[in-house]
Amino acid sequence: MVERTVPGSAIKVVSKNSLCFFFAMTTLLFMLSWLFVLRSTRSDATSNSSLFSYFNDSYSDPVQKINVGEEVEPSFGNRAILGDNVDARATTETKITDYKIQQQKLQRHVPEEQGVKCKERDSTVLRVFMYDLPPEFHFGLLDWEPQENANSVWPDIKAISPHYPGGLNLQHSIEYWLTMDLLASELPEAEAPSKAKSVMRVRNSSEADVIFVPFFSSLCYNRFSKIGPHEKRSKNKVLQEKLVKYVTAQEEWKRSGGKDHVILAHHPNSMLDARLKLWPGAFILSDFGRYPPNIANVEKDVIAPYKHVVGSYDNDQSSFDSRPILLFFQGAIYRKDGGHVRHELYYLLKNEKDVHFSFGSAQKGGVKKATEGMRSSKFCLNIAGDTPSSNRLFDAIASHCVPVIISDEIELPYEDVLDYSQFCIFVRTRDALKKRYLVDFIRSIGAEEWTRMWNRLKEVESFYEFQFPSKEGDAVHMIWQAVKRKVPFMKLKTNRSRRFFRSLNGKELRSIPAPAKFW
């Protein structure tokens, strides 16, 4: 039988052979074209070097990468190859010049074409606008009066510095030192060479970080809280009312709601009436003992030290063994509020031979006795009284007597930057009231640990020294720095309060002053 050829099979064979041939030719042509492209690209590499250089330098400082006039060796890190010719040098110099101009613009933070100029300022200096309150609110309380025909409400501190009363009044004299420091900030450097460069008084409130209210509230309470024979209200209350009326009427208060205002109320009983209306401001306080948390709190307010009453212990050469008293306390034993701890501790410790626990006051040589006792003691008790804090802590620091703090609600100055556990002992109240707990705990602290804390006390004691003119690292300088650390929070609160300002005020918006400028 003769085989028959199927037309479909022949077509399949032809078709398969054609596809193989076509694929082989296509692959060959592709390889040839690729080799041609690579050769042409290599020949143009040198001519394109400036382009590579531009992209590489756009992400880094060309001044650091290129030394003008020097040959740059090729490397794997930098594919740009610069020819040693005049054009290459000119191109590089032009790029460096353009880069520096751009950097200068960025550092100014203001585009040159906007026509806005911004003066350079020291970011470490707090800029303060101080209200020119009448003298009755500040130095007038020290019996100072401006001279006749004098335009200023402030004393000329170059000629005279009004004296602040001594005794226990000095404990809360922070208002005096801060105000004097602001006045001194305007003096030429030659007239106050040792002054700390921490604060600057500005005359334009829009340039200020904070607004300072110079009311000597603690002195006003100490001197004028009692009603006189021909008075219906005390001078202290009258001045607080005047202060609230004056401050809340100022444009500076209106535009921030008072959130950038610094208000002095260091004595626990000062500003009892005004604080209820000026609470948005930042208070400078000794503690929060008599304040509800919605009026004063650690977020917005500043805790400042008392001015110690005992003298500073200069050239202290004492040692653990040269201080015979283990634990020292002298003061009022029976107190209100949290002061019940004092008399309970008195009964627990009164029979300990090396513990001094007695009643004492500032009168009849009390300060001298306290000074001698603290300098002869290893540890000094700081127990809560009418309020969580007392001046006794800062007397102990000045005496280099390691403080033992028994006050659960105490707030301490500069604690956001200072670790008190390095030079203080903290004991919870509930533990201190256990029989023999406190005295046994203190006895367990040996000479080496005590010496370490004693040395640290000498290092930090300057942070609690008030002086005029102020110096770097003293109490005045430290308080201003603490205020400065609150400025971002003030700005945050002010900006948040303006969220719905436009929608709430509507057409009245145009009549509202421009907001303060924050830096």
Side-chain angles (χ1 to χ4, degrees):
M1 179 181 292
V2 180
E3 293 184 359
R4 301 177 59 182
T5 303
V6 181
S9 300
I11 292 173
K12 287 182 181 181
V13 172
V14 174
S15 185
K16 183 175 181 180
N17 293 335
S18 300
L19 285 174
C20 290
F21 176 78
F22 177 77
F23 178 77
M25 292 299 297
T26 302
T27 301
L28 180 62
L29 290 173
F30 177 77
M31 294 178 65
L32 291 174
S33 62
W34 179 248
L35 290 173
F36 177 79
V37 170
L38 287 178
R39 291 186 63 186
S40 62
T41 302
R42 181 179 301 175
S43 64
D44 293 337
T46 304
S47 62
N48 289 334
S49 60
S50 60
L51 180 64
F52 286 115
S53 177
Y54 175 80
F55 284 115
N56 287 338
D57 293 344
S58 65
Y59 294 100
S60 60
D61 189 348
V63 178
Q64 296 177 356
K65 293 187 64 172
I66 303 170
N67 294 323
V68 180
E70 295 182 2
E71 293 186 1
V72 180
E73 296 295 333
S75 65
F76 293 106
N78 182 4
R79 294 183 62 187
I81 303 175
L82 299 181
D84 187 12
N85 55 58
V86 177
D87 292 338
R89 293 179 190 178
T91 303
T92 303
E93 290 174 354
T94 301
K95 288 193 294 180
I96 293 174
T97 302
D98 292 342
Y99 174 85
K100 290 181 177 179
I101 293 174
Q102 293 298 325
Q103 287 295 101
Q104 291 172 0
K105 289 182 180 180
L106 290 173
Q107 289 173 359
R108 287 197 297 267
H109 300 288
V110 179
E112 193 174 81
E113 56 270 17
Q114 289 182 359
V116 180
K117 294 183 179 180
C118 181
K119 295 181 180 179
E120 293 184 3
R121 56 174 290 181
D122 188 350
S123 60
T124 64
V125 175
L126 180 70
R127 299 169 71 88
V128 179
F129 176 80
M130 180 166 64
Y131 285 133
D132 286 322
L133 287 172
E136 65 176 333
F137 289 98
H138 42 83
F139 289 101
L141 296 171
L142 296 172
D143 302 323
W144 173 83
E145 294 181 359
Q147 298 178 355
E148 294 183 5
N149 301 323
N151 295 324
S152 177
V153 299
W154 304 105
D156 182 4
I157 60 174
K158 293 183 293 183
I160 183 173
S161 298
H163 178 69
Y164 199 91
L168 294 180
N169 288 298
L170 283 173
Q171 296 181 91
H172 304 289
S173 57
I174 173 179
E175 52 210 23
Y176 170 81
W177 304 104
L178 293 182
T179 304
M180 290 288 289
D181 199 52
L182 274 178
L183 295 175
S185 70
E186 296 184 296
L187 295 177
E189 187 173 351
E191 298 179 17
S194 61
K195 183 191 174 300
K197 306 299 187 296
S198 57
V199 68
M200 175 188 297
R201 184 186 180 190
V202 296
R203 297 303 183 121
N204 187 343
S205 62
S206 64
E207 298 177 355
D209 297 312
V210 297
I211 311 298
F212 186 77
V213 182
F215 176 40
F216 291 3
S217 58
S218 297
L219 181 64
C220 187
Y221 172 79
N222 283 330
R223 280 194 162 186
F224 304 107
S225 58
K226 294 182 180 179
I227 300 176
H230 303 291
E231 296 176 337
K232 293 183 178 179
R233 293 182 302 162
S234 69
K235 185 177 180 178
N236 180 43
K237 284 184 174 291
V238 171
L239 283 180
Q240 287 184 62
E241 291 179 4
K242 287 184 177 181
L243 180 73
V244 171
K245 185 176 181 180
Y246 176 94
V247 171
T248 55
Q250 303 305 306
E251 296 300 330
E252 289 79 12
W253 178 275
K254 292 178 181 178
R255 70 191 181 192
S256 70
K259 297 175 182 65
D260 56 355
H261 282 51
V262 176
I263 302 166
L264 302 161
H266 199 257
H267 193 291
N269 292 327
S270 63
M271 299 284 282
L272 284 176
D273 300 315
R275 67 177 64 167
L276 299 177
K277 298 181 179 179
L278 301 180
W279 62 268
F283 291 119
I284 298 185
L285 309 170
S286 57
D287 58 47
F288 299 127
R290 294 181 179 174
Y291 285 80
N294 61 321
I295 299 296
N297 54 74
V298 73
E299 281 188 327
K300 75 177 185 69
D301 301 312
V302 173
I303 298 297
Y306 294 66
K307 187 181 188 306
H308 58 81
V309 177
V310 306
S312 300
Y313 196 176
D314 299 326
N315 300 317
D316 179 12
Q317 301 296 324
S318 59
S319 64
F320 184 81
D321 295 327
S322 69
R323 294 187 175 225
I325 302 174
L326 175 70
L327 197 57
F328 180 89
F329 177 88
Q330 181 172 302
I333 296 177
Y334 300 97
R335 305 300 291 176
K336 302 174 292 188
D337 301 328
H340 69 90
V341 181
R342 291 189 182 183
H343 67 260
E344 292 188 41
L345 281 174
Y346 169 72
Y347 291 111
L348 288 172
L349 300 174
K350 66 177 183 177
N351 294 325
E352 298 292 335
K353 293 182 180 180
D354 53 357
V355 174
H356 178 93
F357 201 119
S358 67
F359 176 83
S361 66
Q363 286 76 31
K364 298 180 180 180
V367 174
K368 182 179 179 181
K369 291 179 181 178
T371 301
E372 294 174 352
M374 287 185 168
R375 293 183 180 184
S376 301
S377 303
K378 298 177 178 67
F379 300 93
C380 289
L381 277 170
N382 182 77
I383 314 170
D386 293 345
T387 60
S389 68
S390 75
N391 187 58
R392 193 167 289 101
L393 169 62
F394 307 100
D395 286 343
I397 292 174
S399 303
H400 309 154
C401 180
V402 177
V404 178
I405 299 175
I406 305 174
S407 180
D408 297 347
E409 302 299 326
I410 195 171
E411 295 290 346
L412 299 166
Y414 338 127
E415 197 170 10
D416 55 335
V417 295
L418 194 61
D419 182 6
Y420 278 79
S421 66
Q422 294 181 357
F423 55 91
C424 294
I425 302 296
F426 292 86
V427 181
R428 290 188 178 90
T429 301
R430 66 173 183 266
D431 294 329
L433 295 180
K434 297 175 182 177
K435 189 175 181 179
R436 295 205 59 80
Y437 179 92
L438 181 62
V439 68
D440 289 344
F441 174 63
I442 298 301
R443 291 189 198 282
S444 69
I445 301 173
E448 183 178 351
E449 185 176 359
W450 179 88
T451 303
R452 178 181 56 78
M453 289 189 286
W454 174 76
N455 282 321
R456 184 61 176 152
L457 281 172
K458 293 194 293 182
E459 293 173 356
V460 303
E461 64 177 329
S462 64
F463 299 160
Y464 309 96
E465 293 292 339
F466 289 89
Q467 53 195 339
F468 178 79
S470 64
K471 296 181 180 179
E472 294 289 335
D474 69 1
V476 177
H477 174 259
M478 292 290 286
I479 292 169
W480 285 129
Q481 291 297 307
V483 171
K484 184 172 179 58
R485 291 194 292 274
K486 297 294 183 180
V487 170
F489 180 78
M490 296 176 184
K491 183 177 179 180
L492 171 65
K493 297 295 287 184
T494 301
N495 291 345
R496 285 174 65 91
S497 68
R498 293 198 180 110
R499 287 180 175 181
F500 303 103
F501 186 73
R502 182 181 297 274
S503 61
L504 292 175
N505 288 275
K507 295 181 180 180
E508 298 178 2
L509 183 64
R510 295 181 180 179
S511 64
I512 302 300
K517 295 178 181 177
F518 287 93
W519 293 84

mmCIF file of all heavy atoms in Angstrom, residues 199-220:
data_model
loop_
_atom_site.group_PDB
_atom_site.id
_atom_site.type_symbol
_atom_site.label_atom_id
_atom_site.label_comp_id
_atom_site.label_asym_id
_atom_site.label_seq_id
_atom_site.Cartn_x
_atom_site.Cartn_y
_atom_site.Cartn_z
ATOM 1 N N VAL A 199 19.137 86.574 81.094
ATOM 2 C CA VAL A 199 17.858 87.241 80.873
ATOM 3 C C VAL A 199 18.118 88.622 80.287
ATOM 4 O O VAL A 199 19.165 89.234 80.527
ATOM 5 C CB VAL A 199 17.071 87.347 82.197
ATOM 6 C CG1 VAL A 199 17.742 88.302 83.167
ATOM 7 C CG2 VAL A 199 15.627 87.757 81.956
ATOM 8 N N MET A 200 17.167 89.083 79.498
ATOM 9 C CA MET A 200 17.267 90.399 78.888
ATOM 10 C C MET A 200 15.886 91.053 78.892
ATOM 11 O O MET A 200 14.891 90.458 78.470
ATOM 12 C CB MET A 200 17.782 90.296 77.445
ATOM 13 C CG MET A 200 17.810 91.625 76.693
ATOM 14 S SD MET A 200 18.209 91.396 74.952
ATOM 15 C CE MET A 200 19.868 90.728 75.094
ATOM 16 N N ARG A 201 15.849 92.268 79.400
ATOM 17 C CA ARG A 201 14.583 93.004 79.375
ATOM 18 C C ARG A 201 14.408 93.643 78.004
ATOM 19 O O ARG A 201 15.313 94.293 77.483
ATOM 20 C CB ARG A 201 14.574 94.085 80.453
ATOM 21 C CG ARG A 201 13.242 94.823 80.550
ATOM 22 C CD ARG A 201 13.307 95.982 81.517
ATOM 23 N NE ARG A 201 12.029 96.673 81.605
ATOM 24 C CZ ARG A 201 11.845 97.831 82.228
ATOM 25 N NH1 ARG A 201 12.871 98.424 82.843
ATOM 26 N NH2 ARG A 201 10.648 98.394 82.259
ATOM 27 N N VAL A 202 13.241 93.445 77.408
ATOM 28 C CA VAL A 202 12.923 94.049 76.121
ATOM 29 C C VAL A 202 11.760 95.015 76.310
ATOM 30 O O VAL A 202 10.895 94.810 77.167
ATOM 31 C CB VAL A 202 12.578 92.984 75.059
ATOM 32 C CG1 VAL A 202 13.774 92.105 74.783
ATOM 33 C CG2 VAL A 202 11.380 92.140 75.487
ATOM 34 N N ARG A 203 11.746 96.077 75.525
ATOM 35 C CA ARG A 203 10.707 97.110 75.661
ATOM 36 C C ARG A 203 9.510 96.862 74.746
ATOM 37 O O ARG A 203 8.470 97.483 74.928
ATOM 38 C CB ARG A 203 11.316 98.480 75.367
ATOM 39 C CG ARG A 203 12.413 98.901 76.345
ATOM 40 C CD ARG A 203 11.903 98.908 77.775
ATOM 41 N NE ARG A 203 12.901 99.366 78.713
ATOM 42 C CZ ARG A 203 12.757 100.420 79.506
ATOM 43 N NH1 ARG A 203 11.634 101.129 79.453
ATOM 44 N NH2 ARG A 203 13.701 100.754 80.356
ATOM 45 N N ASN A 204 9.666 95.978 73.786
ATOM 46 C CA ASN A 204 8.572 95.633 72.878
ATOM 47 C C ASN A 204 8.068 94.244 73.249
ATOM 48 O O ASN A 204 8.788 93.258 73.132
ATOM 49 C CB ASN A 204 9.051 95.657 71.433
ATOM 50 C CG ASN A 204 7.915 95.478 70.440
ATOM 51 O OD1 ASN A 204 6.829 95.029 70.784
ATOM 52 N ND2 ASN A 204 8.173 95.821 69.186
ATOM 53 N N SER A 205 6.828 94.160 73.695
ATOM 54 C CA SER A 205 6.312 92.872 74.179
ATOM 55 C C SER A 205 6.236 91.815 73.089
ATOM 56 O O SER A 205 6.257 90.618 73.377
ATOM 57 C CB SER A 205 4.929 93.072 74.806
ATOM 58 O OG SER A 205 3.999 93.555 73.841
ATOM 59 N N SER A 206 6.149 92.232 71.811
ATOM 60 C CA SER A 206 6.077 91.255 70.725
ATOM 61 C C SER A 206 7.406 90.531 70.523
ATOM 62 O O SER A 206 7.465 89.514 69.857
ATOM 63 C CB SER A 206 5.650 91.934 69.424
ATOM 64 O OG SER A 206 6.626 92.864 69.008
ATOM 65 N N GLU A 207 8.487 91.055 71.106
ATOM 66 C CA GLU A 207 9.793 90.417 70.991
ATOM 67 C C GLU A 207 10.101 89.522 72.192
ATOM 68 O O GLU A 207 11.166 88.907 72.249
ATOM 69 C CB GLU A 207 10.889 91.486 70.883
ATOM 70 C CG GLU A 207 10.761 92.372 69.651
ATOM 71 C CD GLU A 207 11.816 93.460 69.630
ATOM 72 O OE1 GLU A 207 12.578 93.564 70.622
ATOM 73 O OE2 GLU A 207 11.885 94.195 68.639
ATOM 74 N N ALA A 208 9.192 89.462 73.167
ATOM 75 C CA ALA A 208 9.468 88.782 74.435
ATOM 76 C C ALA A 208 9.063 87.322 74.402
ATOM 77 O O ALA A 208 8.129 86.922 73.694
ATOM 78 C CB ALA A 208 8.741 89.489 75.571
ATOM 79 N N ASP A 209 9.781 86.513 75.181
ATOM 80 C CA ASP A 209 9.378 85.128 75.414
ATOM 81 C C ASP A 209 8.282 85.064 76.468
ATOM 82 O O ASP A 209 7.372 84.241 76.370
ATOM 83 C CB ASP A 209 10.581 84.299 75.887
ATOM 84 C CG ASP A 209 11.681 84.219 74.849
ATOM 85 O OD1 ASP A 209 11.356 83.921 73.685
ATOM 86 O OD2 ASP A 209 12.846 84.448 75.183
ATOM 87 N N VAL A 210 8.404 85.902 77.513
ATOM 88 C CA VAL A 210 7.430 85.909 78.599
ATOM 89 C C VAL A 210 7.158 87.350 79.016
ATOM 90 O O VAL A 210 7.941 88.261 78.739
ATOM 91 C CB VAL A 210 7.919 85.103 79.829
ATOM 92 C CG1 VAL A 210 8.094 83.643 79.496
ATOM 93 C CG2 VAL A 210 9.217 85.682 80.384
ATOM 94 N N ILE A 211 6.032 87.537 79.712
ATOM 95 C CA ILE A 211 5.645 88.831 80.273
ATOM 96 C C ILE A 211 5.765 88.734 81.788
ATOM 97 O O ILE A 211 5.141 87.860 82.406
ATOM 98 C CB ILE A 211 4.200 89.202 79.873
ATOM 99 C CG1 ILE A 211 3.978 89.017 78.360
ATOM 100 C CG2 ILE A 211 3.885 90.628 80.310
ATOM 101 C CD1 ILE A 211 4.830 89.891 77.484
ATOM 102 N N PHE A 212 6.531 89.615 82.392
ATOM 103 C CA PHE A 212 6.827 89.565 83.827
ATOM 104 C C PHE A 212 5.958 90.565 84.586
ATOM 105 O O PHE A 212 5.865 91.735 84.213
ATOM 106 C CB PHE A 212 8.308 89.880 84.048
ATOM 107 C CG PHE A 212 8.771 89.711 85.471
ATOM 108 C CD1 PHE A 212 8.999 88.451 85.995
ATOM 109 C CD2 PHE A 212 8.998 90.821 86.275
ATOM 110 C CE1 PHE A 212 9.445 88.287 87.300
ATOM 111 C CE2 PHE A 212 9.448 90.676 87.577
ATOM 112 C CZ PHE A 212 9.666 89.411 88.092
ATOM 113 N N VAL A 213 5.315 90.084 85.653
ATOM 114 C CA VAL A 213 4.449 90.919 86.492
ATOM 115 C C VAL A 213 5.190 91.211 87.799
ATOM 116 O O VAL A 213 5.267 90.352 88.676
ATOM 117 C CB VAL A 213 3.110 90.215 86.781
ATOM 118 C CG1 VAL A 213 2.203 91.120 87.608
ATOM 119 C CG2 VAL A 213 2.423 89.817 85.481
ATOM 120 N N PRO A 214 5.752 92.416 87.979
ATOM 121 C CA PRO A 214 6.626 92.706 89.120
ATOM 122 C C PRO A 214 5.867 93.155 90.373
ATOM 123 O O PRO A 214 6.045 94.284 90.856
ATOM 124 C CB PRO A 214 7.517 93.827 88.578
ATOM 125 C CG PRO A 214 6.631 94.569 87.636
ATOM 126 C CD PRO A 214 5.726 93.546 87.017
ATOM 127 N N PHE A 215 5.068 92.277 90.917
ATOM 128 C CA PHE A 215 4.352 92.559 92.163
ATOM 129 C C PHE A 215 5.054 91.813 93.292
ATOM 130 O O PHE A 215 5.188 90.593 93.247
ATOM 131 C CB PHE A 215 2.897 92.123 92.041
ATOM 132 C CG PHE A 215 2.094 92.291 93.301
ATOM 133 C CD1 PHE A 215 2.248 93.397 94.118
ATOM 134 C CD2 PHE A 215 1.175 91.326 93.681
ATOM 135 C CE1 PHE A 215 1.496 93.551 95.289
ATOM 136 C CE2 PHE A 215 0.420 91.464 94.834
ATOM 137 C CZ PHE A 215 0.586 92.575 95.645
ATOM 138 N N PHE A 216 5.500 92.547 94.332
ATOM 139 C CA PHE A 216 6.170 91.932 95.470
ATOM 140 C C PHE A 216 5.111 91.346 96.407
ATOM 141 O O PHE A 216 4.847 91.849 97.491
ATOM 142 C CB PHE A 216 7.025 92.956 96.204
ATOM 143 C CG PHE A 216 8.237 93.426 95.446
ATOM 144 C CD1 PHE A 216 8.489 92.999 94.149
ATOM 145 C CD2 PHE A 216 9.144 94.293 96.034
ATOM 146 C CE1 PHE A 216 9.611 93.425 93.451
ATOM 147 C CE2 PHE A 216 10.274 94.731 95.349
ATOM 148 C CZ PHE A 216 10.503 94.298 94.051
ATOM 149 N N SER A 217 4.517 90.250 95.977
ATOM 150 C CA SER A 217 3.345 89.703 96.664
ATOM 151 C C SER A 217 3.679 89.138 98.041
ATOM 152 O O SER A 217 2.878 89.269 98.967
ATOM 153 C CB SER A 217 2.704 88.621 95.796
ATOM 154 O OG SER A 217 3.631 87.587 95.508
ATOM 155 N N SER A 218 4.840 88.499 98.187
ATOM 156 C CA SER A 218 5.201 87.931 99.493
ATOM 157 C C SER A 218 5.457 89.029 100.517
ATOM 158 O O SER A 218 5.008 88.947 101.664
ATOM 159 C CB SER A 218 6.452 87.047 99.355
ATOM 160 O OG SER A 218 6.199 85.950 98.506
ATOM 161 N N LEU A 219 6.166 90.068 100.103
ATOM 162 C CA LEU A 219 6.411 91.196 100.999
ATOM 163 C C LEU A 219 5.106 91.897 101.344
ATOM 164 O O LEU A 219 4.895 92.316 102.493
ATOM 165 C CB LEU A 219 7.376 92.176 100.329
ATOM 166 C CG LEU A 219 7.763 93.404 101.151
ATOM 167 C CD1 LEU A 219 8.522 93.004 102.398
ATOM 168 C CD2 LEU A 219 8.585 94.375 100.304
ATOM 169 N N CYS A 220 4.215 92.018 100.384
ATOM 170 C CA CYS A 220 2.922 92.652 100.619
ATOM 171 C C CYS A 220 2.130 91.860 101.655
ATOM 172 O O CYS A 220 1.489 92.452 102.543
ATOM 173 C CB CYS A 220 2.154 92.743 99.310
ATOM 174 S SG CYS A 220 0.613 93.686 99.416
#
